[in-house]
Amino acid sequence: NYVDWLEMLLTHEFTHIVHIDMIGGLPRILRAVFGSIVDYNQMQPRWIVEGYATYTETELTEGGRGRSPFTDMVVRAAVLEKRFPSISQANGEMSSWPSGFLPYLFCVTFHEWLRETYGHEKIQDYNKRYASSVSPYLLNQRAKKTFGKTWPQLWNDWRLSLEQRYEKQLAALRAEGPVTAPTQLTHHGMRVSGARFSPDGKQLVYSVANGEGPSELRIMNADGTKGKTLLKKYFVDSITWTADSKRIAF
């Protein structure tokens, strides 16, 4: 979700440089002795490092993943399906959905909630406190000094606020009429992408990358039956059919 892709990319990555290079207190002395290898903020959890950069890309550009309807969809689905990740899962090294998306999509939303609840300055204060800490393992102590609560408590407060927001949205939709119930056609796990129906409506082609073998380009009937592999070692998001429904291009 961007207006200028390069601007968003540079904003995100430059945030990493400024954030990770931040130093103060006793660590500043260690930096003077050992050089820039002393980067306390680099030892913060990935959900802070990537969540903060994704938050900044949204704050400082006209796009950003914090404005993305895809982000909203993923977080909303996790809330409404009662599959919301714990903060201990938020680094994103999971074999199940949303895997690597987690520290970006969930944690940009978490940082936006922190801004709305406590103010942007508190987020900055936390990063400064951590960069000046005598120990890189005092995450919750620094959070309590900054926000008055530990990170697990803040995460739970955020989850509760999301439940209220999305339950209200769902109730409004149900008041207008029946909510469409989806039918899941694939059960490969991890990432399934690029799904495209053939022009005649009879077949569906898509990509799979689930970590259990090489990625695949697959095809099946539109109702999910008779699935088979077309090509191995390919994972693509953009696929198109010829008008006669006999060939695909990607």
Side-chain angles (χ1 to χ4, degrees):
N1 198 77
Y2 56 86
V3 175
D4 185 316
W5 178 81
L6 188 58
E7 179 189 29
M8 189 185 80
L9 175 70
L10 290 174
T11 302
H12 182 101
E13 301 304 340
F14 189 64
T15 296
H16 283 321
I17 293 171
V18 176
H19 177 210
I20 291 171
D21 195 55
M22 189 183 294
I23 202 80
L26 180 61
R28 187 188 293 275
I29 300 172
L30 297 175
R31 167 81 63 87
V33 176
F34 297 104
S36 61
I37 193 172
V38 180
D39 287 322
Y40 268 39
N41 279 353
Q42 186 164 290
M43 299 180 71
Q44 288 183 329
R46 191 159 168 248
W47 59 264
I48 292 181
V49 175
E50 294 299 348
Y52 179 60
T54 314
Y55 160 76
T56 303
E57 85 186 24
T58 307
E59 286 286 293
L60 300 182
T61 74
E62 294 179 350
R65 278 163 280 193
R67 292 188 176 91
S68 171
F70 177 74
T71 298
D72 192 48
M73 173 188 70
V74 172
V75 175
R76 181 177 62 242
V79 171
L80 295 179
E81 293 176 8
K82 309 299 182 186
R83 296 173 62 185
F84 199 78
S86 66
I87 195 168
S88 62
Q89 296 174 311
N91 274 350
E93 305 302 333
M94 299 168 62
S95 60
S96 58
W97 178 263
S99 189
F101 283 123
L102 212 162
Y104 298 87
L105 306 188
F106 281 77
C107 296
V108 62
T109 309
F110 181 45
H111 274 78
E112 288 178 332
W113 176 82
L114 288 173
R115 180 202 63 210
E116 293 165 6
T117 308
Y118 296 96
H120 174 76
E121 295 76 15
K122 288 292 186 180
I123 299 174
Q124 300 289 67
D125 288 346
Y126 176 81
N127 287 326
K128 290 175 183 176
R129 277 198 170 100
Y130 190 90
S132 305
S133 175
V134 294
S135 170
Y137 304 107
L138 301 176
L139 281 99
N140 284 318
Q141 185 193 64
R142 296 308 178 202
K144 202 159 188 177
K145 281 192 174 183
T146 306
F147 303 105
K149 294 183 177 182
T150 65
W151 283 121
Q153 289 170 333
L154 292 166
W155 188 269
N156 188 59
D157 288 349
W158 170 55
R159 178 183 59 80
L160 293 174
S161 74
L162 291 176
E163 287 178 358
Q164 292 175 357
R165 180 202 305 176
Y166 292 132
E167 289 291 351
K168 188 175 180 180
Q169 284 185 11
L170 187 59
L173 288 171
R174 284 175 172 158
E176 294 179 7
V179 176
T180 303
T183 300
Q184 186 171 341
L185 297 180
T186 64
H187 299 271
H188 301 289
M190 287 287 282
R191 294 191 65 188
V192 180
S193 185
R196 295 294 184 274
F197 282 102
S198 58
D200 62 15
K202 295 180 180 180
Q203 293 181 298
L204 182 65
V205 67
Y206 61 97
S207 282
V208 175
N210 63 1
E212 296 180 2
S215 54
E216 295 182 336
L217 195 62
R218 294 182 59 86
I219 192 170
M220 63 183 178
N221 290 338
D223 62 1
T225 61
K226 296 185 178 179
K228 64 179 182 180
T229 301
L230 285 179
L231 289 170
K232 290 192 174 184
K233 299 183 180 179
Y234 285 95
F235 182 80
V236 292
D237 290 314
S238 299
I239 308 170
T240 189
W241 289 82
T242 55
D244 59 8
S245 299
K246 292 182 179 179
R247 295 177 180 82
I248 62 167
F250 63 91

